[in-house]
Amino acid sequence: MKPHPYLRAYMAGITVPSMMLLVVLSGFLTARYAFHIPIPIERAIIFPMALVPNIFGLWNIFYLWLRPRPHLPIGFHGAILPFILAPLGFRLATCLGLLTATSSGLVWFGRIELPYHVFAIGFCFGLIAYYLVWKYLVGFFNDVLGIA
């Protein structure tokens, strides 16, 4: 048996969000410097860069820890994660002044208004995306590292 299964689970978990952060950061930089959209990158990217990869890694460790017990498949396990990340992100964004909740929707950066029904639809698509990412990508990395 290979040693350090939790370390391998952590590494498999942080791989996908670390790669996606490059894509998100590229989008932010393109929006800010090419299209001159005044997005405060420094404040908006703090939560994803600092916490999301670590939470993915810890969530994968939790999945590995649950394996001897009755548990959900890895896709459904990953689809639970937005229910943790969304409130954390909302709280942090409101504390930093990036997000304001109004009676009609959410206002990002004091300029971009998002109605609640659009947010709900986006959250549903996010659940689907998390399911697929965890089922196919994180599951693949777990398999590569021998912990699937």
Side-chain angles (χ1 to χ4, degrees), residues 127-140:
L127 289 176
I128 294 167
Y130 268 69
Y131 172 80
L132 294 173
V133 162
W134 277 84
K135 180 174 173 114
Y136 294 109
L137 296 177
V138 177
F140 168 75

Side-chain angles (χ1 to χ4, degrees), residues 13-35:
I14 67 169
T15 303
V16 176
S18 296
M19 291 186 302
M20 292 308 295
L21 278 176
L22 294 173
V23 174
V24 171
L25 186 58
S26 298
F28 267 110
L29 291 174
T30 302
R32 184 167 186 182
Y33 295 116
F35 299 115

Side-chain angles (χ1 to χ4, degrees), residues 24-56:
V24 171
L25 186 58
S26 298
F28 267 110
L29 291 174
T30 302
R32 184 167 186 182
Y33 295 116
F35 299 115
H36 305 292
I37 298 173
I39 299 174
I41 296 170
E42 303 80 26
R43 295 187 325 180
I45 203 76
I46 291 171
F47 179 71
M49 286 185 73
L51 294 179
V52 172
N54 291 314
I55 292 173
F56 263 64

Side-chain angles (χ1 to χ4, degrees), residues 5-6 9 57-78 80-81 84 134 142 147-148:
Y6 292 129
L58 293 173
W59 199 245
N60 201 26
I61 289 173
F62 183 56
Y63 176 74
L64 183 65
W65 180 77
L66 286 175
R67 268 202 324 193
R69 300 155 188 84
H71 63 281
L72 294 171
I74 192 165
F76 290 113
H77 180 78
I80 295 170
L81 195 54
I84 297 169
W134 277 84
N142 281 349
I147 56 173

